[in-house]
Amino acid sequence: MRAVAVLVVLAVLVLPGPAGAQLPTPGEGEGGEVRDAVVTGVEDTPIVTDLHLPAGASADAPVPVVLSGHGWGATRDTALGSTTDLLLAQGDAVVVWDARGFGQSGGTVQVDAPEFEGQDVSAILDWLATQPEIALDGPGDPVVGMVGNSYGGGIQLATATFDARVDALAPQITWHDLNRALQPQGVLKLVWQLLLFGLGGATGTIVGLDPSGPAFPQTGTVPPELADALTQALTANAFDEELTQFFAARSFSDYGPSGQLDVPTLLFQGSVDTLFTIDEAVDTFTHLRDTGVPTKLVVFCGSLTDAATGGAITHGQCPSFYADAGDQPRIDDMVLRWFDRHLRDLPVDTGPPVEYRTNTGDWHRADTWPPPGTDTLTVPVEGTALTTNTPGSGLGILALPAVPGSPTAVTVEADAPELAGRQVEVVGQPVARLSATGTGLGAHLYAKLIDSTQGELPAGGSAVNNQETPMRLDALSADPQVLDQPMVGAAYTYAPDAPVTVQVDTQSLMYTFPRTGPAQIDLTGEMTIPYRTLVTDRIGGPDRIGTAAELSRDSVLAADTVVIATSTDYPDALAGAPLATSLGAPLLLTGPDALADQARREILRTGATTAVLLGGEAVIGAGVEEDLGALGLTVERVAGPDRFATAAAIAGRLDSTTADLVEGIDADPARGWPDAVSAAAPAAEGGAPVLLTDTDVLPEATLDALAAGGVTDVVIVGGPAAVSSAVEAHVVDAGYAVTRLGGADRFATSAAVAGLTPGARTVVAATGGDWPDALAAASAAAAWDAALVLVDGVDATRSAATHEFVQTTAFDRLVLAGLTAAVGEGAAAQLTEAADAGTPPAAAAVDPPPEL
């Protein structure tokens, strides 16, 4: 079974960076010029370079430039993809080049050494400063950012640490300490070295012999140190001191502290990346943050593109049982925001310092890594493990659990009754503290977390994030060897009632094996695991439009359609959430005269081709429609002569035998919307329309919509002060079955309606003081199958009914809709405390309220 897994992984492994649609060549499409050059690098090495200019770039309209570096063993063409397409589309120039020793460039590969590859890029910057279409910060100083993954990420740090002309970085899945990446705790990653060093030499030589290359002929090659590394891995099972120093000199951990890197840096790392683990980016993030550099850390699943669409898989593929979170579009969006902020000096929100997602697919936000509020689970470890040190144990690039019952592993399931029924998020760095005695000349141990409920191996489950942490033992005896080893960082969520299991194995698919013969290892000790049972996310933007876009970004993976409402008033937007959900669309807000930038960015991220506008031109003007058309979208309007008719028109596009009826008009601007917003989430999830009424009079448009839609049941949301008894009687007389959900105030009504989502694992809290954040939150809540509650944004206890709902409902995630102006820190703390102190899941069951 393990051999099959290895073959599958090796079959899908592709070393180049993300592949996307190729950019137009000169004369094709509407793109600009592609300008080839051979730049002279260090030691007169020819570096083959392509400058892609966007349409409209000229000496009179110069543009910033972004350098996109390729992966190990690849070429400049593979550094083009979705990110560079978007950069060109928004008006940035893009440069790709063959790094020394690869592709059509000459010279010897030096593994992103600052004094070689770093200086080669500096020579490219010198050349760019002479190109009239490139914007300058000063003489010889182009306005420049850098992107790229793996090897194309390492070159960013190696360049910007010593060349102050670079203005912004976005390294993806790259390293901090190359020795730790290749030989953690002195245990070598054998197959990664076979792949990297073997393929690097072959591709570096072959492509340079293409006679069409502008620097032909070039026989680029890898340095002798890489051949030595492979030899030492296969024979001595360790790097010698000279080789260790070679890799150290190419590590930001070594040159970073003495350099001058003060460039805003956006770091991406994959949780299932077994070559460069989470810890590589975390350590760079920590160093830059501590030195005052604007820095953001993004932890995602690990595969930058979808192999099903022809994209490359780099450093590990998300297992099939992980949720698809659409990593690449989100990463592209983050890169574009970062460069707009730090290259173009635009007032663009780049989000919190940390964003991450686990295997659930939900994205989370935090100010630090690991996120605050984690507890520690301690799992005692005791048992005996045997090792045979057979040669076949060192093949693969991912960790797998030992076969159940295997004598080679000690496996312990955590005894943690307090976690029963809880979803457990492991985020941060576990630690193995072990004492080893026994017999034998030495051994390797591999510590890992196991999820026995996930995976494709019979009864074995999966290793969390495909990761394991090696540890070396010397000759064993009765004298204990004490190990206190931080493990590979994790970002993983155990489903409710999935046991948290730890394992210490003596066999590995990934690492070299010790040539010390069989051993018996008697282990005692513990593993400590950082975890949270409640995740609190604040999702908001600088204004109501930004908050709607951010809620869309976290709740909608991709969409063919977007639904857009005005940000200035609520009537036409109140009924929009069910329509958006039925279309698989987000609900976005915009100003009345032009498409808001935040909405535009979110439309591009989703890939939408159709926009549905709620309301007529009096609320969303022709300028918005024109802006949408310029983006290539087909525009539709759903509107009526008044708010009641607009809601009725929306209802006409839904198919449900149940409808919600809510107050939709009031002279008091603080009224007329709360009950509708509360009703929108469960209505949207159930596909039911939200229809509006005056407090005392049922509008004809609403009555007609009930009759036209085949509705048999009406749920009135709100008390008689919102929807009068006279209106209720009118509905009953018209032949409909009526249920009323309401309370003494908007919060009590909200709590009653939130009960329509029994078993929700997410609760969304929005302010009850104003409508925009709550309205967008309703659409997001439906996408998450979440309960939505309105709260007092200053003192949550003043919204007594919803505060009690939070305290007595079992859930795993609390989403605060909007920034602190909407739901303040004090109210957020009260809600979190209430949820943490709430009723355990087993005691939380109640009779469900009437269904919509």
Side-chain angles (χ1 to χ4, degrees), residues 48-150:
V48 177
T49 305
D50 293 343
L51 168 62
H52 295 256
L53 292 166
S58 67
D60 294 328
V63 297
V65 62
V66 177
L67 276 64
S68 179
H70 62 71
W72 177 265
T75 63
R76 64 191 187 279
D77 289 341
T78 66
L80 299 171
S82 61
T83 307
T84 52
D85 285 348
L86 290 167
L87 288 166
L88 279 163
Q90 76 167 13
D92 292 324
V94 170
V95 166
V96 293
W97 74 102
D98 289 341
R100 67 168 44 235
F102 292 127
Q104 296 175 336
S105 291
T108 298
V109 175
Q110 290 294 337
V111 197
D112 278 349
E115 65 272 26
F116 288 98
E117 283 87 355
Q119 289 299 309
D120 291 341
V121 175
S122 291
I124 294 174
L125 298 185
D126 292 341
W127 173 72
L128 286 171
T130 68
Q131 305 306 297
E133 300 88 352
I134 302 303
L136 300 177
D137 285 322
D141 183 2
V143 179
V144 60
M146 297 184 73
V147 297
N149 74 76
S150 190

Side-chain angles (χ1 to χ4, degrees), residues 220-265:
T221 184
V222 297
E225 286 85 356
L226 297 193
D228 292 344
L230 195 53
T231 300
Q232 291 177 26
L234 294 171
T235 58
N237 197 31
F239 293 158
D240 61 24
E241 181 61 26
E242 183 177 355
L243 197 54
T244 299
Q245 288 301 316
F246 174 84
F247 290 123
R250 287 143 177 84
S251 300
F252 186 72
S253 59
D254 183 81
Y255 63 73
S258 61
Q260 302 296 321
L261 182 59
D262 60 356
V263 177
T265 302

Side-chain angles (χ1 to χ4, degrees), residues 338-352:
W338 195 256
F339 287 151
D340 272 354
R341 176 76 173 268
H342 297 292
L343 286 186
R344 296 171 173 266
D345 294 323
L346 297 175
V348 173
D349 179 25
T350 58

Side-chain angles (χ1 to χ4, degrees), residues 253-662:
S253 59
D254 183 81
Y255 63 73
S258 61
Q260 302 296 321
L261 182 59
D262 60 356
V263 177
T265 302
L266 172 60
L267 295 156
F268 298 94
Q269 208 72 16
S271 60
V272 299
D273 188 330
T274 59
L275 177 58
F276 302 138
T277 66
I278 288 176
D279 311 301
E280 300 302 321
V282 167
D283 285 355
T284 302
F285 171 74
T286 302
H287 169 80
L288 294 177
R289 181 196 58 192
D290 291 349
T291 56
V293 176
T295 309
K296 182 181 177 79
L297 172 68
V298 180
V299 175
F300 61 105
C301 192
S303 176
L304 284 180
T305 49
D306 182 3
T309 62
I313 300 170
T314 52
H315 303 190
Q317 168 72 348
C318 293
S320 59
F321 50 86
Y322 277 32
D324 182 1
D327 291 335
Q328 188 64 53
R330 191 180 183 98
I331 286 172
D332 287 342
D333 177 64
M334 291 181 184
V335 170
L336 263 63
R337 291 187 192 205
W338 195 256
F339 287 151
D340 272 354
R341 176 76 173 268
H342 297 292
L343 286 186
R344 296 171 173 266
D345 294 323
L346 297 175
V348 173
D349 179 25
T350 58
V354 174
E355 295 188 46
Y356 71 99
R357 72 107 156 173
T358 69
N359 47 299
T360 66
D362 291 329
W363 282 89
H364 304 298
R365 302 167 183 230
D367 292 329
T368 61
W369 184 271
T374 56
D375 295 316
T376 300
L377 176 66
T378 300
V379 183
V381 176
E382 185 172 0
T384 298
L386 305 178
T387 179
T388 59
N389 299 128
T390 55
S393 67
L395 296 175
I397 60 167
L398 79 169
L400 294 172
V403 175
S406 170
T408 67
V410 175
T411 305
V412 181
E413 185 177 303
D415 182 15
E418 71 275 14
L419 302 182
R422 299 288 191 183
Q423 181 173 283
V424 177
E425 181 187 87
V426 177
V427 58
Q429 194 163 40
V431 178
R433 297 183 175 92
L434 303 172
S435 177
T437 60
T439 58
L441 298 179
H444 292 170
L445 300 179
Y446 303 95
K448 46 198 162 186
L449 304 182
I450 304 298
D451 186 344
S452 59
T453 67
Q454 293 288 350
E456 299 171 354
L457 298 180
S462 66
V464 163
N465 294 148
N466 295 340
Q467 302 284 1
E468 62 190 1
T469 301
M471 295 171 281
R472 255 186 126 119
L473 292 174
D474 297 325
L476 292 146
S477 68
D479 295 328
Q481 296 181 50
V482 177
L483 304 170
D484 190 349
Q485 180 59 54
M487 296 167 59
V488 173
Y492 188 86
T493 302
Y494 286 87
D497 292 323
V500 178
T501 303
V502 303
Q503 188 173 88
V504 182
D505 199 354
T506 63
Q507 305 279 44
S508 172
L509 291 168
M510 199 184 314
Y511 293 88
T512 54
F513 56 92
R515 293 158 181 81
T516 51
Q520 173 180 312
I521 304 104
D522 299 315
L523 293 170
T524 59
E526 64 185 25
M527 286 192 198
T528 58
I529 303 168
Y531 78 96
R532 302 193 292 179
T533 55
L534 175 68
V535 178
T536 300
D537 287 318
R538 183 183 290 280
I539 303 178
D543 54 27
R544 58 185 60 184
I545 295 173
T547 292
E550 291 299 299
L551 286 163
S552 164
R553 181 167 165 258
D554 278 24
S555 61
V556 177
L557 178 64
D560 295 327
T561 302
V562 294
V563 175
I564 302 177
T566 178
S567 64
T568 59
D569 204 358
Y570 61 80
D572 290 321
L574 287 180
L579 176 61
T581 300
S582 72
L583 296 171
L587 179 60
L588 302 175
L589 301 180
T590 187
D593 301 320
L595 183 66
D597 180 64
Q598 299 101 315
R600 179 187 64 82
R601 290 175 181 275
E602 185 57 11
I603 290 168
L604 292 174
R605 185 199 65 81
T606 63
T609 57
T610 300
V612 177
L613 305 184
L614 302 183
E617 290 191 5
V619 292
I620 301 182
V624 173
E625 193 166 347
E626 291 170 3
D627 290 343
L628 290 166
L631 292 176
L633 274 71
T634 300
V635 180
E636 304 173 12
R637 283 189 185 267
V638 181
D642 58 26
R643 65 187 67 191
F644 307 108
T646 295
I650 292 171
R653 299 184 57 153
L654 301 171
D655 183 15
S656 175
T657 58
T658 301
D660 279 10
L661 184 63
V662 299

